[in-house]
Amino acid sequence: MVLKSIWGSRQVKVAAATVSAVTLIASPVKADSVTDRIIQNVIQNILQDVRDQIQSRRLAPPTMPGRAMRFSGDDANSFASGDDPFSALAYAKAPLYTKAPPPAPMPTYLYGVNLVGSADYSRSAGITTESYGVTGAIDITKIGVFSAYDAVTVIGTGSGIWSHSLGIDTSTAVGAGTIAYVNGGFSGDFTVDGTWTRTRLAAAGIAAPADVSGVSYAPNVQYKFDLPNSWYIEPTVGVTYTETYTANFGTKTGDSTEVHGGARFGFETMWNTVRVQPSLTLAAFSIVSQTGVAGGVGAGGLPIAATGTGDVGGRASGKLNFLWTDKFSSFIEAHGSTIKGTDAYGTSGGLRWTF
């Protein structure tokens, strides 16, 4: 079952353009923009589902082709059967030989279809941005690449995100591709995305920010350690490199590099007939290098909060994953982040069907 996101924890920074009137001007310093959070949460949820499914897969344990020499008295009911009171002493009987049944076949490929909705709020320099998004994704997993326990997953993601701030409405289209490898507790992934952000409506007296676009590259690695009583911990580290451009990848306006690390904690339990997988992810992140505008004047003459190189922020995410059947699951999640100049929080929920 390709279920249960699936973040634990590592975060893939997969959007490059910001959506608020504030951060559109302050390219490329996104300071954990709303767009980034929406897209990366979707991709991470899918990856967590795939990783957990692969890592929890249990092949049939190796069995002997037959039963070895044994005493017939080893049968549990040797004395109690009453049919042969001396059967327990029948040491000389020939051993029984039973051919082991073949192990249940494992699927070679797993396919997933995902639909996620989100609502997020970000506050920077006293200005609040509201964002709502819808994301669809398809993932394909090939099980058994170099061994029976590893897998490669490819994810295609498309999103539409609509934001409002200071009388300015913007829309962002995002396309992302992800490849991930899982082998035992180890997993690694790499995401490339492109974003296109444009102004849809500007209120009277407020200058509309220019359209922007961007691309991001985000590798991450993590290792999941199983603990007693179905608990686990999954540390993760990663890097995100982002380039921002004018509309339609015209002129480059800057770039930034973020490093992040943290861990996902969780366990699995049963609620009636439903498997429930709670998890908590905690991470720290920092922009270690950047070029372009780090601050300035935004829409309406309001100042822009700049996130300086080396500033450290934090992220947290709590999630409940519900595995209703071996093919269908759903999740709800609450997340938040903070770094100098910007605070953000939001919620998301989604459905996943695998076949």
Side-chain angles (χ1 to χ4, degrees):
M1 212 163 67
V2 183
L3 299 172
K4 172 41 224 137
S5 137
I6 105 336
W7 160 236
S9 202
R10 44 201 203 176
Q11 307 246 354
V12 176
K13 197 95 167 171
V14 295
T18 53
V19 297
S20 71
V22 175
T23 53
L24 278 170
I25 304 286
S27 174
V29 184
K30 302 183 303 305
D32 208 38
S33 73
V34 174
T35 303
D36 289 340
R37 306 310 311 144
I38 293 173
I39 302 304
Q40 72 180 253
N41 284 345
V42 171
I43 289 180
Q44 286 304 316
N45 281 329
I46 295 172
L47 289 176
Q48 290 164 17
D49 285 348
V50 173
R51 292 199 310 270
D52 291 348
Q53 190 276 333
I54 297 300
Q55 292 167 0
S56 64
R57 181 177 294 278
R58 295 291 183 267
L59 295 175
T63 56
M64 298 295 294
R67 284 192 290 179
M69 293 287 292
R70 61 147 178 81
F71 298 137
S72 61
D74 290 343
D75 293 336
N77 296 323
S78 296
F79 288 101
S81 64
D83 296 334
D84 185 358
F86 300 101
S87 62
L89 303 177
Y91 300 128
K93 285 186 177 181
L96 298 178
Y97 182 88
T98 303
K99 185 177 181 180
M106 294 179 60
T108 303
Y109 289 91
L110 293 171
Y111 306 88
V113 178
N114 311 266
L115 180 63
V116 178
S118 60
D120 287 79
Y121 304 87
S122 177
R123 187 168 182 82
S124 180
I127 301 171
T128 300
T129 300
E130 301 176 359
S131 298
Y132 304 92
V134 176
T135 302
I138 297 176
D139 58 272
I140 302 174
T141 299
K142 171 66 169 69
I143 300 175
V145 180
F146 303 108
S147 71
Y149 295 92
D150 70 350
V152 169
T153 297
V154 177
I155 305 173
T157 307
S159 299
I161 301 171
W162 300 267
S163 300
H164 176 82
S165 180
L166 289 177
I168 296 178
D169 292 338
T170 59
S171 62
T172 300
V174 184
T178 301
I179 184 168
Y181 176 72
V182 177
N183 190 345
F186 169 83
S187 62
D189 59 83
F190 179 72
T191 296
V192 179
D193 80 274
T195 62
W196 296 261
T197 299
R198 66 184 182 89
T199 301
R200 299 169 52 236
L201 175 66
I206 297 180
D211 294 349
V212 296
S213 56
V215 61
S216 289
Y217 309 89
N220 296 271
V221 294
Q222 45 276 319
Y223 197 96
K224 184 178 178 183
F225 296 91
D226 291 325
L227 304 175
N229 300 318
S230 299
W231 281 85
Y232 66 85
I233 180 173
E234 186 177 43
T236 177
V237 295
V239 178
T240 299
Y241 174 70
T242 298
E243 294 179 327
T244 55
Y245 298 83
T246 57
N248 299 318
F249 301 96
T251 301
K252 183 176 177 179
T253 60
D255 57 28
S256 64
T257 301
E258 177 200 284
V259 296
H260 46 264
R264 178 170 65 118
F265 311 83
F267 67 96
E268 181 177 293
T269 187
M270 294 296 296
W271 179 40
N272 294 327
T273 60
V274 179
R275 291 170 62 191
V276 181
Q277 297 169 323
S279 63
L280 173 66
T281 300
L282 301 175
F285 66 100
S286 177
I287 298 176
V288 296
S289 68
Q290 57 185 327
T291 63
V293 181
V297 178
L302 295 175
I304 296 171
T307 299
T309 301
D311 288 343
V312 177
R315 298 176 180 138
S317 171
K319 177 183 173 185
L320 283 175
N321 200 43
F322 302 92
L323 284 65
W324 304 97
T325 71
D326 61 346
K327 296 183 181 297
F328 180 73
S329 69
S330 63
F331 77 90
I332 56 174
E333 180 192 55
H335 50 263
S337 65
T338 183
I339 193 171
K340 180 182 177 181
T342 300
D343 297 313
Y345 60 94
T347 184
S348 64
L351 306 174
R352 179 174 175 81
W353 182 60
T354 62
F355 57 96

